[in-house]
């Protein structure tokens, strides 16, 4: 395999060995990546984009007028910054509008609660839902509960506080309750579903998020309680007191459209070879979607722009995509998801998609580079380390297999992924809440993201490395004695 990537310093360090003829070419390629990286660190494009996006349009729920207007504006922003073949590709969507909601304990110990309806859950009857609460401390306990213990009651699942982790790995075990819990509760005859917010904060701000349809239909009214209110309900249950709750919601669904916004920086010599830079345009309605995921769009557009402004075009095409409708579930797998719509629409063109990456984890610093299987320990990884280590990004042995919600549908169709892992320690303090606002972005950390993306993308785009052809290293057999 031919890789045109290296620097003289890397050779001196013994990282990689190249022939003298290749050495000069590879040194120039990596030196240009360093130039691009350093220019990106000083760029103001990312902060400008996310500031304008969140200020002009605020929250951008999937399929809403604000998401549609933001997409049209973003297309113009791409054109103004030199992107070509800019297009807005619409697709049908079932939109969801929150309306008004409330939660309260009634009867003995009556008190108001701070809660938010979960996405795509249906409205309550006009007078609300009032019933006794039955609490479960694990999802498995709910799944195992007899129907008689649940029927007619409000199911409350409290897994306890989510632990903040740098890689965000505490999210998955909790979010499956949000997605599948209402359907399980509905199948047992529950009147409504409530859960502790999926978040790592102790603020009295509930985290919203989507629920899943069952057989193409919504389930039962579903809500998330802010962490202090979840604790309050759990303490009352622990005291042995019957807890009766009243919930109201005027949520509704409606037919609409969402869209993917796409812009290219065509490659100089191999423009048919595509590198996808993904993020999503839509957000939840409680905040302004600054970290989820205005920042991701800001990072990817600024990284590509830094390469364009360097005065040199790489060999391959950089494609920025602002996906629509990432946040919400849809009645079927074939409707509504921007990532799936794009992947299905490419057909055989996906064969020329070299690699894809996604920025959808806020704006705090990048700390690790993850590459497809087979790239660990490769010359490419070593050259990337030369570019990224000075800004605090370490090479990881962890293989990037998922990409993210938006680029993920390309994976089963053969497209490899890279990942620039961000520090997610505080991400789930803010995620899906009213606290997701522009002031939470640190401009210096945002630009470190841009620099990491720009340096890495230059290396990929101006090389002939074939990640599809890489194979995992074979582990030597253990000698027998």
């Amino acid at each position: 395999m031919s890789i045109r990537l290296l620097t003289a310093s890397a050779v001196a360090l013994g990282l990689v060995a190249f022939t003298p003829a290749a050495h000069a070419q590879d040194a120039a390629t990596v030196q240009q990546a360093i130039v691009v990286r350093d220019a990106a660190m000083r760029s103001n494009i990312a902060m400008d984009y996310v500031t304008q996006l969140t200020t002009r349009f605020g929250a951008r729920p999937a399929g809403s007028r604000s998401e549609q207007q933001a997409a049209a504006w973003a297309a113009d922003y791409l054109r103004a910054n030199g992107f070509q073949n800019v297009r807005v590709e619409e697709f049908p969507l079932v939109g969801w509008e929150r309306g008004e909601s409330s939660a309260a304990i009634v009867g003995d110990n009556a008190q108001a609660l701070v809660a938010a309806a979960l996405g795509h859950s249906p409205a309550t009857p006009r007078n609300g839902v009032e019933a006794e609460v039955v609490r479960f401390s694990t999802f498995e306990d709910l799944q195992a509960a007899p129907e008689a213990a649940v029927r007619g009651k409000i199911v409350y699942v409290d897994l306890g506080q989510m632990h903040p982790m740098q890689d965000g790995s505490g999210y998955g075990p909790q979010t499956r309750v949000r997605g599948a819990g209402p359907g399980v509760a509905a199948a047992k005859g529950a009147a409504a579903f409530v859960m502790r917010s999926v978040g790592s904060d102790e603020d009295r701000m509930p985290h919203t998020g989507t629920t899943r349809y069952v057989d193409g239909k919504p389930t039962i009214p579903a809500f998330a309680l802010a962490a202090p209110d979840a604790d309050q309900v759990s303490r009352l249950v622990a005291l042995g007191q019957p807890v009766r709750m009243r919930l109201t919601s005027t949520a509704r669904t409606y037919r609409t459209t969402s869209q993917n916004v796409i812009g290219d920086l065509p490659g100089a010599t191999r423009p048919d070879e595509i590198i996808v830079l993904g993020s999503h345009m839509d957000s939840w309605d409680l905040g302004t979607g600054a970290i989820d995921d205005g920042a991701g769009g800001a990072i990817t557009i600024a990284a590509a722009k830094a390469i364009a402004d360097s005065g040199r075009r790489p060999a391959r095409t950089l494609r920025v995509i602002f996906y629509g409708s990432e946040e919400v579930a849809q009645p079927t797998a074939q409707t509504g998801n921007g990532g799936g719509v794009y992947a299905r629409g490419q057909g055989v063109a996906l064969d020329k998609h070299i690699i894809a990456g996604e920025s959808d984890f806020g704006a705090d610093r990048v700390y690790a580079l993850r590459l497809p299987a087979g790239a660990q320990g490769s010359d490419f990884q070593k050259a990337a380390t030369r570019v990224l280590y000075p800004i605090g990004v370490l090479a990881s042995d962890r293989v990037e297999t998922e990409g993210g919600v938006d680029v993920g549908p390309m994976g089963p169709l053969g497209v490899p992924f890279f990942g620039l892992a961000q520090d997610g320690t505080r991400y789930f303090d803010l995620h899906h809440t009213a606290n997701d606002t522009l002031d939470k972005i640190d401009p210096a950390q945002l630009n470190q993201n841009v620099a990491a993306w720009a340096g890495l993308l230059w290396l990929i785009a101006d090389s002939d490395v074939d990640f599809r052809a890489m194979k995992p290293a074979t582990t030597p057999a253990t000698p027998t004695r």
Side-chain angles (χ1 to χ4, degrees):
M1 183 185 308
S2 171
I3 301 178
R4 302 182 288 113
L5 301 169
L6 194 58
T7 65
S9 298
V11 172
L13 290 170
L15 294 176
V16 188
F18 276 88
T19 65
H23 169 260
Q25 183 182 29
D26 297 328
T29 301
V30 173
Q31 184 56 42
Q32 180 64 12
I34 292 170
V35 169
V36 168
R37 177 201 72 195
D38 291 346
M41 194 74 85
R42 301 186 297 270
S43 171
N44 65 358
I45 290 291
M47 202 65 202
D48 176 69
Y49 174 86
V50 71
T51 299
Q52 290 208 53
L53 177 72
T54 57
T55 302
R56 289 174 180 270
F57 307 104
R60 302 169 302 282
S64 67
R65 181 166 173 77
S66 60
E67 189 211 25
Q68 295 163 353
Q69 291 176 323
W73 170 84
D76 288 340
Y77 195 96
L78 288 169
R79 295 185 188 101
N81 281 281
F83 288 79
Q84 300 178 34
N85 308 321
V86 176
R87 60 267 195 206
V88 178
E89 298 182 346
E90 291 188 351
F91 53 87
L93 179 77
V94 177
W96 181 82
E97 188 174 278
R98 176 177 305 281
E100 300 292 331
S101 60
S102 67
I105 297 170
V106 296
D108 292 341
N109 310 114
Q111 53 193 285
L113 300 170
V114 178
L118 293 174
H120 279 250
S121 68
T124 63
R126 182 181 296 272
N127 294 325
V129 171
E130 184 177 321
E132 183 182 344
V133 171
V134 55
R135 180 184 180 275
F136 299 95
S137 58
T138 72
F139 186 45
E140 290 73 19
D141 287 346
L142 169 60
Q143 291 175 310
E147 183 178 308
V150 172
R151 178 162 295 281
K153 296 180 180 179
I154 294 174
V155 164
Y156 169 46
V157 179
D158 181 7
L159 269 61
Q161 197 73 357
M162 176 183 166
H163 297 293
M165 297 182 183
Q166 188 179 39
D167 65 356
S169 55
Y171 183 58
Q174 299 238 357
T175 194
R176 72 187 185 114
V177 177
R178 189 186 68 211
V184 173
K188 296 176 184 290
F193 177 86
V194 176
M195 67 176 296
R196 173 188 287 270
S197 284
V198 181
S200 51
D201 63 298
E202 289 287 354
D203 296 326
R204 209 172 182 198
M205 292 187 182
H207 297 240
T208 191
T210 198
T211 60
R212 291 206 291 266
Y213 287 78
V214 175
D215 297 328
K217 298 177 181 178
T219 56
I220 53 177
F223 300 77
L225 284 175
D229 297 75
D231 288 338
Q232 187 81 331
V233 174
S234 291
R235 282 192 296 265
L236 284 171
V237 172
L239 288 172
Q241 306 245 356
V243 177
R244 193 168 182 84
M245 193 178 290
R246 185 172 182 274
L247 304 165
T248 68
S249 168
T250 62
R252 73 179 185 97
T253 56
Y254 60 102
R255 296 284 175 177
T256 183
T257 59
S258 186
Q259 59 287 303
N260 294 329
V261 182
I262 305 169
D264 295 339
L265 291 178
T269 58
R270 298 197 299 281
D272 59 327
E273 296 181 8
I274 307 297
I275 302 161
V276 171
L277 291 61
S279 65
H280 64 88
M281 176 62 69
D282 63 314
S283 75
W284 283 106
D285 54 326
L286 300 179
T288 61
I291 68 159
D292 186 21
D293 183 31
I299 290 162
T300 56
I301 192 174
K305 175 67 171 167
I307 291 173
D309 287 348
S310 72
R312 291 180 56 187
R313 288 171 60 195
R316 292 164 163 163
T317 293
L318 298 174
R319 175 166 292 170
V320 169
I321 306 179
F322 304 139
Y323 290 93
S325 183
E326 186 268 358
E327 293 288 7
V328 299
Q330 290 293 290
T332 73
Q334 301 301 308
T335 55
N337 176 271
V341 168
Y342 177 81
R344 292 190 295 272
Q346 292 302 298
V348 295
L350 273 187
D351 293 342
K352 287 292 190 178
H353 283 53
I354 302 304
I355 198 167
E358 181 171 316
S359 181
D360 184 14
F361 202 43
D364 285 353
R365 71 177 190 88
V366 174
Y367 67 90
L369 167 64
R370 298 170 184 158
L371 293 171
Q376 293 68 38
S378 67
D379 291 349
F380 179 86
Q381 187 188 58
K382 293 169 185 175
T385 296
R386 177 65 184 170
V387 175
L388 299 180
Y389 181 80
I391 60 171
V393 183
L394 304 180
S396 173
D397 290 335
R398 178 170 165 181
V399 174
E400 184 60 52
T401 59
E402 297 178 357
V405 172
D406 289 313
V407 302
M410 290 188 281
L413 302 175
V415 180
F417 301 126
F418 68 87
L420 285 163
Q422 294 164 279
D423 183 355
T425 306
R426 71 180 186 126
Y427 181 72
F428 291 107
D429 289 355
L430 309 170
H431 173 260
H432 293 185
T433 74
N435 241 345
D436 182 1
T437 50
L438 183 66
D439 57 298
K440 308 308 184 301
I441 293 178
D442 178 344
Q445 293 194 66
L446 180 70
N447 272 8
Q448 187 260 7
N449 276 263
V450 177
W453 274 76
L456 177 66
L457 288 169
W458 178 269
L459 294 181
I460 297 172
D462 205 45
S463 78
D464 57 4
V465 63
D466 184 356
F467 291 105
R468 289 175 180 256
M470 287 186 172
K471 302 297 180 186
T474 302
T475 304
T478 303
T480 58
R481 295 182 183 272

